[in-house]
Amino acid sequence: KIRKIVKDKKENIWLATEKGIVKISDNNTITLDKTHQQIKEDNFLTIAVDQNNNIWAGSNSGVLQIAGKKIKTYNSKNSLLPDNHVWNIAVDKNNIIWIGTKKGLLCITDQEWKVYNQTNSDLPDNTISALAVDDYDRTWICTEKGITSFDGVEWKQYKATKKRMNHYNIYIDKNDNKWIGTEKALLVLNQDGV
């Protein structure tokens, strides 16, 4: 199962799969899995590339950061990661890494790691099912209980459906439409509504 595909700044393709992380370059394909001594998990759910060309990959055991030849693993025991179930990672143009987990949203900047959850923010739910960033420095967060945007200061709620519905994916196009995949429908959220 290939769960997510990204391209880095050197035009390499990276895949998050159930059998490891795959890097495809012009003349080589490398799989990073449990046979590598620094990797304890094979089943990756998401992957992202930051502005420094570092790879961030999420699994149900935490986050793996690949910086050149160095690999670091972050989990709830050795970092501020609120939960080891990492389902989404997004990187904004300011190189802020947003990590969606089962128990909250982690924001990583050069200065700090900060966790957002229902107790210290306006998140409608702690389980983050999808993330995206737009061109206006807003992070879009999908949960079962609704969609929220966060610009670093203000949280804004959007009620996309009348009933509770799982929001599995979000994509923002060049016209700032938010395409949201749910369990029963495809939604489009824009300035005109849903």
Side-chain angles (χ1 to χ4, degrees):
K1 290 179 186 173
I2 299 171
R3 297 204 171 93
K4 189 146 186 194
I5 304 169
V6 294
K7 188 191 304 187
D8 69 18
K9 295 182 185 303
K10 296 179 181 176
E11 301 293 313
N12 298 309
I13 305 295
W14 294 82
L15 311 175
T17 80
E18 70 175 341
K19 300 282 186 184
I21 299 168
V22 179
K23 176 186 176 186
I24 304 169
S25 58
D26 284 339
N27 55 3
N28 203 3
T29 299
I30 299 168
T31 301
L32 301 171
D33 57 19
K34 284 196 285 193
T35 60
H36 192 285
Q37 66 182 20
Q38 291 177 289
I39 298 175
K40 307 289 185 241
E41 169 75 60
D42 275 347
N43 192 8
F44 288 92
L45 307 172
T46 187
I47 195 164
V49 182
D50 70 18
Q51 303 295 333
N52 299 320
N53 217 37
N54 298 318
I55 306 300
W56 296 80
S59 70
N60 283 322
S61 298
V63 176
L64 201 68
Q65 180 194 27
I66 303 169
K69 296 191 182 214
K70 292 182 182 176
I71 298 175
K72 289 182 188 173
T73 301
Y74 299 105
N75 57 45
S76 59
K77 290 182 179 174
N78 69 6
S79 72
L80 288 178
L81 191 68
D83 187 72
N84 288 332
H85 296 90
V86 175
W87 295 338
N88 289 278
I89 302 172
V91 181
D92 69 20
K93 64 183 179 183
N94 299 313
N95 206 34
I96 297 172
I97 293 97
W98 298 92
I99 299 176
T101 76
K102 197 173 174 181
K103 293 183 181 173
L105 178 67
L106 175 63
C107 172
I108 301 174
T109 67
D110 289 337
Q111 291 81 31
E112 68 176 342
W113 289 38
K114 181 165 183 162
V115 176
Y116 296 102
N117 54 41
Q118 287 180 286
T119 59
N120 67 354
S121 73
D122 287 338
L123 279 172
D125 190 49
N126 285 334
T127 302
I128 311 301
S129 55
L131 287 172
V133 292
D134 67 17
D135 291 334
Y136 305 98
D137 292 330
R138 290 177 299 200
T139 303
W140 291 82
I141 305 123
C142 292
T143 72
E144 184 180 296
K145 295 181 182 173
I147 301 157
T148 303
S149 69
F150 180 55
D151 64 6
V153 177
E154 182 183 5
W155 297 86
K156 194 169 179 186
Q157 306 285 333
Y158 300 87
K159 189 158 177 82
T161 57
K162 291 180 182 172
K163 290 194 253 177
R164 283 175 73 173
M165 192 179 292
N166 287 327
H167 300 84
Y168 293 113
N169 210 336
I170 183 168
Y171 171 76
I172 303 171
D173 68 22
K174 64 182 178 181
N175 297 317
D176 202 36
N177 295 305
K178 277 59 99 186
W179 295 82
I180 302 156
T182 74
E183 60 193 321
K184 295 187 179 173
L186 175 65
L187 308 174
V188 182
L189 173 66
N190 59 34
Q191 60 269 23
D192 298 323
V194 180

